[in-house]
Amino acid sequence: MTTNKELLAAEAGALAKTARIKYFDIVIDSGKGALLKDVEGHTYLDLLASASSTNTGHAHPKVVAAIQQQAAKIIQYTPAYFANSPAAELAQKLADIAPISGPVKVAWGNSGSDANDGIIKFARAFTGRQYLVSFMGAYHGSTYGSLSTSAVSLNMARKIGPLLPGVVKVPYPDPWHRLPDESETAFVDRMFAAFLEPFKTYLPAEETAVIMMEPIQGDGGIAKAPTEFVKRVADFAHQHGILFAVDEVNQGLGRTGKMWSIQHFGIEPDLMSVGKSIASGLPLSAVVGRAEVMDSLPAPGHLFTTSGNPVTTAAALATLDVIQEENLPERSARLGKLAADFFAEQAEKHAFIGNWRMYGLDGGIDIVDPQTKAADPVATTKLIYRIFQLGAIMISLKENILRFQPPLVITEKQLQQAFAILAQAFAELEMGKLVLPENAAQIGW
């Protein structure tokens, strides 16, 4: 039998350092639903869903059948020149379910990163303006445009500048910005004033093309902006002829208990990016937006040889069917309440659980020093490693945040098993029984 260690050792000589954020020394071999299996046959509960790219779970029968059937017909012929049947059907279906009124159009890509690049292109083309506004804590991707608008890791800026010009980053109203005893109204007022400051001092609103936002930040810590703040930002944008764009790559497609995370806010975007789970993890993305905006950019301004190919779009059609037929957004909302109850109970028991957030099956749990309430990355690493040893895959964000994003098809029994594993790890940390792995310094973002 080939072991995890042997395969990783063989890979190490050829894989660049930047190609993986290190967590656990396993090689994934197979998956089914919310379960993963490594090459040695160890089974794990998946609490990450491949970074929220497998909302329908692993190897869903309907998605697998769609891939197999389409692959037997034709795998690829570039949609850059000719249409294919599944992509033509998917474009209309995606336009129909977009949270945007009026005529909507779609442009394909291969990843969420290039979809966010597309937002930049379409916004500049439509408005004739250059400046882009995004938020601190954002993760929009790793291509130059999407990376330039991101602000979640210094390693997304080190050694690779200069980045795209014309990008201005403003503070995101996450829980860590809120002052003790500050009311939500006062918090929103303060954060919106910080948002406006660039426009009052050096950023001409009339030269700004787009404000890009994750209404619920993903890699920034699974944190939801206050609804009133997002409304003010969108209103400001439209008052000044600026497009309002949302990134739904991580948080869309049922993850938060609604089809799209922006639906929690009662706001319609002008543009949105979709990726990750749209094809159950196959490389497909889309920019979706108001037709007049999408028609502002001529070909080949945003097209790619393999984007929207027959296999990925067939997988996406099946994925959307599964999401709708199995009511996965509603299921996420219902099971998310169980998760919220569990983490609320654990926070009462353990002072090292600080702020925690749950939006459907989509949560961030802050691990802090019980006395100072400061972020505790050491305890966080101990926890995720012990959770791994106990049979579940969970990673950390921003050094001290547990990322809870299981596939939306996880069964209630599996969810309770996950709770039992987490509760045991929490209890063992409380009792001082957990130790760091030998490679702890290499683990995490």
Side-chain angles (χ1 to χ4, degrees), residues 313-444:
T313 51
L317 285 170
T319 297
L320 291 180
D321 285 346
V322 170
I323 290 172
Q324 293 170 331
E325 291 167 3
E326 299 186 16
N327 299 310
L328 293 190
E330 295 82 1
R331 195 169 191 279
S332 179
R334 178 172 60 82
L335 296 184
K337 290 178 181 177
L338 299 180
D341 290 344
F342 167 76
F343 286 112
E345 175 189 277
Q346 293 298 307
E348 288 292 320
K349 291 181 179 180
H350 305 296
F352 58 76
I353 297 178
N355 185 291
W356 62 270
R357 305 154 298 285
M358 197 65 53
Y359 320 108
L361 286 174
D362 184 49
I365 302 91
D366 302 348
I367 304 302
V368 300
D369 181 284
Q371 279 73 47
T372 67
K373 301 304 179 184
D376 192 341
V378 172
T380 307
T381 300
K382 288 179 179 179
L383 279 170
I384 61 171
Y385 193 73
R386 182 57 177 151
I387 290 165
F388 164 68
Q389 290 177 319
L390 293 170
I393 300 294
M394 174 179 265
I395 69 165
S396 57
L397 297 169
K398 296 183 74 170
E399 296 187 324
N400 78 305
I401 300 171
L402 301 180
R403 178 178 185 167
F404 183 81
Q405 291 185 311
L408 305 185
V409 297
I410 190 170
T411 67
E412 290 193 43
K413 181 178 179 181
Q414 289 169 336
L415 194 59
Q416 293 299 331
Q417 291 171 343
F419 295 159
I421 287 172
L422 294 171
Q424 180 176 338
F426 291 154
E428 291 177 354
L429 178 65
E430 186 78 55
M431 292 185 286
K433 291 184 175 181
L434 300 189
V435 296
L436 285 170
E438 292 181 2
N439 63 340
Q442 300 173 325
I443 289 178

Side-chain angles (χ1 to χ4, degrees), residues 205-391:
E206 71 275 12
E207 295 182 27
T208 302
V210 66
I211 298 169
M212 296 177 64
M213 187 179 200
E214 294 170 279
I216 301 175
Q217 283 195 342
D219 291 320
I222 316 292
K224 178 178 179 289
T227 297
E228 179 59 26
F229 178 87
V230 181
K231 286 183 176 179
R232 289 190 193 182
V233 168
D235 287 345
F236 175 86
H238 293 145
Q239 288 165 13
H240 294 275
I242 303 169
L243 297 180
F244 179 66
V246 296
D247 181 336
E248 292 280 349
V249 175
N250 187 310
Q251 300 290 301
L253 297 157
R255 170 55 58 190
T256 67
K258 292 184 181 292
M259 189 64 174
W260 309 109
S261 68
I262 193 62
Q263 291 174 319
H264 289 278
F265 301 84
I267 298 167
E268 291 190 7
D270 299 300
L271 291 163
M272 73 175 187
S273 54
V274 184
K276 288 187 182 285
S277 280
I278 183 64
S280 291
L282 289 191
L284 178 69
S285 68
V287 184
V288 183
R290 292 194 289 113
E292 60 177 336
V293 178
M294 299 298 292
D295 281 339
S296 65
L297 189 66
H302 190 74
L303 58 79
F304 310 89
T305 300
T306 58
S307 63
N309 79 57
V311 173
T312 60
T313 51
L317 285 170
T319 297
L320 291 180
D321 285 346
V322 170
I323 290 172
Q324 293 170 331
E325 291 167 3
E326 299 186 16
N327 299 310
L328 293 190
E330 295 82 1
R331 195 169 191 279
S332 179
R334 178 172 60 82
L335 296 184
K337 290 178 181 177
L338 299 180
D341 290 344
F342 167 76
F343 286 112
E345 175 189 277
Q346 293 298 307
E348 288 292 320
K349 291 181 179 180
H350 305 296
F352 58 76
I353 297 178
N355 185 291
W356 62 270
R357 305 154 298 285
M358 197 65 53
Y359 320 108
L361 286 174
D362 184 49
I365 302 91
D366 302 348
I367 304 302
V368 300
D369 181 284
Q371 279 73 47
T372 67
K373 301 304 179 184
D376 192 341
V378 172
T380 307
T381 300
K382 288 179 179 179
L383 279 170
I384 61 171
Y385 193 73
R386 182 57 177 151
I387 290 165
F388 164 68
Q389 290 177 319
L390 293 170

